[in-house]
Amino acid sequence: MYRVQNLKKTLLIFLLILSGYNLKSQNLSTEIEFIDYYFENGSPLKWKIVNDTLVISLLPDYQRETLNRQTDHWYFKIMGKRDTRIKLTIEKMLPDVYNGRPATDWWNYKTGIPCYVSYDNKIWQPLKTTTLPGKEIFLEFTMESEEVYLARLPVYTTSHLNSLINRIKDTKDISVFQIGKTPEKRPLEIIWLGNPGAKNQIVLRARAHPWEPGGNWVLEGLIDEFIRENGKGKFKNFCFSILPMANMDGVVRGMTRFNVSGMDLNRTWDKAPDSLLCPENFAFENYIKDLIKKGKPPVLVVDFHNDDKGDIHLTKRDKKDVQFIQNMQRFEKLMREHTSFSESFRYAWSDDGQPDVWTINNGLYSRCKLESFVYELNANWITGLGKIPSATDWKVIGKGLLYVFYEYYSLQK
Ligand SMILES: [Zn+2]
């Protein structure tokens, strides 16, 4: 018995020496070959190796005329030796500035900011991170291959969008057409599902903010379900006009929030958009105005975003608008029945109709009398499913959302 215990002790000491030797033998400077972010949607960054930790510093993008800046997107590839143990911190090179004030809470989401890892640049697995006192995000993992991609969220670029369009464009009741161009002359295309003369015109937009791909995945799910069910004539009273990637330049360049002219596509909707600085909004608003002119005003406009909370933000309304409250309660009930939505519908009341922030929904209601809301998908956690979101989870929300629209407008008096 004594000898067995002694043997175990010797073995343990041997293993400890071996693991200590291994730790000492790894030198990150020689194990890592290169950090590559020179591809579409790759995030501008600086990198260095300090005390065997890879330190990534992300660059912000800036809003025109204000001191606002934001840094929330990362997407890069680590190239190095397989089986390397990577210790990594991700930091913002400059603190964010939001509404003219320094923001402090961007990395401090209570369940932790996930970092998505992929070895094929297609399938993304979330890793949990911890936030260090200096507000850096920290994570540690072993490289299972010589190349590993890291991203803030499951990546959706113009390549994904182009393959979606190529896949669906010849399908019955679907057409794709250009409504304008981005500042860098990329085509802004509307995907049209359903019957153009239909009573229920629903307009959907995603990716006003480049770091927020959730809406793209939701829309893919909605489109796929539409195609699957459309043959039965179910959606003959519906037409969906979808602008899937409003801030396409920002997505290509791996930016966080603004367009390449420094405009926030979900702000300053109190006035008509500037055709040169903000052609994405200019084209989108003209498209909506054309629908109104044709006597087919949208019954609803939804703008998809990602944030740390996951609420639906309703337009600022008169508190006495009982019909509006009843409608939204019915919509909310359907959302909870058909999707994993479990967060809140945020009402905003006013006596003078003047919102504090001129987001798209407030602008479209105030200037065009259209019903509209901003749907923020929680980027870190889907409470209704109790998990970190995946692209598939968001597609399933899109599928459910199609039936929310269908039931809400089919059964409306
Ligand atoms: Zn947003």
Side-chain angles (χ1 to χ4, degrees):
M1 190 63 189
Y2 176 73
R3 284 181 63 177
V4 173
Q5 272 178 351
N6 246 3
L7 195 67
K8 273 187 184 169
K9 212 166 153 184
T10 314
L11 199 66
L12 190 69
I13 291 164
F14 177 72
L15 282 172
L16 279 172
I17 291 167
L18 200 67
S19 65
Y21 174 77
N22 266 346
L23 282 176
K24 271 185 198 152
S25 74
Q26 179 181 307
N27 177 351
L28 215 53
S29 309
T30 54
E31 309 295 306
I32 289 180
E33 261 173 48
F34 191 54
I35 306 298
D36 183 5
Y37 53 93
Y38 301 108
F39 45 79
E40 190 194 315
N41 197 230
S43 51
L45 56 82
K46 287 202 320 186
W47 64 281
K48 58 188 174 186
I49 294 165
V50 183
N51 298 331
D52 250 17
T53 300
L54 173 60
V55 176
I56 302 281
S57 300
L58 303 169
L59 272 65
D61 51 88
Y62 296 81
Q63 187 172 31
R64 198 180 193 91
E65 293 176 9
T66 76
L67 294 174
N68 288 346
R69 60 178 182 236
Q70 192 176 329
T71 316
D72 272 282
H73 173 68
W74 70 79
Y75 179 27
F76 55 89
K77 178 166 70 169
I78 304 174
M79 302 167 87
K81 292 191 184 124
R82 194 193 162 107
D83 294 328
T84 302
R85 188 73 185 158
I86 300 282
K87 282 199 280 179
L88 169 80
T89 60
I90 301 174
E91 63 186 23
K92 301 184 180 204
M93 200 147 70
L94 294 164
D96 291 348
V97 175
Y98 196 62
N99 291 336
R101 287 185 293 276
T104 52
D105 61 347
W106 288 101
W107 286 155
N108 290 346
Y109 187 66
K110 60 181 184 303
T111 54
I113 304 281
C115 176
Y116 289 76
V117 174
S118 176
Y119 289 94
D120 62 1
N121 205 15
K122 289 187 190 108
I123 297 162
W124 296 90
Q125 295 293 341
L127 284 183
K128 285 199 169 181
T129 71
T130 46
T131 308
L132 300 179
K135 298 202 189 305
E136 309 94 332
I137 284 174
F138 175 77
L139 72 150
E140 205 174 347
F141 66 98
T142 300
M143 281 179 74
E144 291 171 18
S145 172
E146 290 174 349
E147 296 185 354
V148 57
Y149 290 87
L150 273 71
R152 171 69 181 87
L153 287 170
V155 168
Y156 193 104
T157 67
T158 60
S159 318
H160 295 84
L161 179 59
N162 290 338
S163 66
L164 168 74
I165 288 175
N166 285 331
R167 179 160 64 81
I168 65 169
K169 67 181 191 311
D170 298 323
T171 310
K172 182 176 172 282
D173 294 331
I174 292 187
S175 51
V176 180
F177 53 91
Q178 192 177 326
I179 58 162
K181 283 183 178 171
T182 65
E184 294 189 320
K185 308 298 175 210
R186 295 188 171 88
L188 290 165
E189 288 177 319
I190 291 267
I191 301 172
W192 221 10
L193 312 179
N195 167 16
K199 185 175 78 173
N200 299 307
Q201 299 284 330
I202 295 174
V203 177
L204 309 171
R205 183 179 83 154
R207 219 62 186 275
H209 297 146
W211 82 273
E212 303 165 13
N216 284 116
W217 294 113
V218 167
L219 290 172
E220 283 233 12
L222 183 143
I223 292 167
D224 284 342
E225 185 63 13
F226 176 90
I227 293 170
R228 224 176 348 253
E229 290 296 314
N230 184 40
K232 299 163 194 163
K234 195 166 192 171
F235 304 113
K236 63 180 189 302
N237 292 327
F238 288 84
C239 182
F240 295 92
S241 299
I242 300 172
L243 180 61
M245 195 177 278
N247 196 337
M248 201 178 266
D249 298 342
V251 171
V252 170
R253 289 176 173 273
M255 291 163 70
T256 287
R257 187 178 184 98
F258 306 107
N259 78 357
V260 293
S261 310
M263 301 299 284
D264 186 333
L265 302 191
N266 194 27
R267 289 293 185 275
T268 58
W269 278 89
D270 52 325
K271 49 188 182 291
D274 186 301
S275 64
L276 293 175
L277 294 176
C278 208
E280 303 93 334
N281 283 358
F282 181 78
F284 189 58
E285 177 163 322
N286 280 348
Y287 177 75
I288 289 172
K289 283 183 171 165
D290 274 352
L291 288 179
I292 298 171
K293 263 187 231 156
K294 286 178 193 154
K296 298 283 172 197
V299 291
L300 181 66
V301 180
V302 181
D303 202 29
F304 290 94
H305 290 258
N306 279 118
D307 77 353
D308 293 341
K309 298 180 185 72
D311 294 329
I312 284 182
H313 295 264
L314 302 171
T315 298
K316 199 157 193 174
R317 301 289 280 252
D318 188 327
K319 205 166 188 171
K320 293 186 270 302
D321 196 340
V322 178
Q323 186 62 58
F324 169 72
I325 299 169
Q326 284 174 357
N327 288 348
M328 286 304 108
Q329 283 172 343
R330 203 159 65 82
F331 199 94
E332 183 176 349
K333 188 168 174 285
L334 290 169
M335 286 283 296
R336 292 179 194 278
E337 280 170 21
H338 289 284
T339 75
S340 57
F341 178 81
S342 69
E343 289 83 1
S344 304
F345 271 49
R346 297 251 168 224
Y347 292 85
W349 307 118
S350 93
D351 296 325
D352 58 3
Q354 290 297 306
D356 310 322
V357 188
W358 282 103
T359 47
I360 183 169
N361 54 325
N362 284 322
L364 290 177
Y365 178 68
S366 168
R367 293 192 291 119
C368 308
K369 291 287 160 276
L370 297 178
E371 196 65 76
S372 176
F373 61 73
V374 169
Y375 184 177
E376 296 276 6
L377 299 145
N378 190 322
N380 306 318
W381 191 251
I382 300 184
T383 307
L385 301 176
K387 70 190 285 285
I388 295 171
S390 69
T392 304
D393 297 330
W394 280 329
K395 282 199 221 176
V396 172
I397 290 177
K399 175 182 173 178
L401 209 50
L402 183 66
Y403 294 103
V404 174
F405 295 139
Y406 175 75
E407 284 197 24
Y408 181 82
Y409 291 104
S410 297
L411 306 176
Q412 200 177 36
K413 284 141 215 139

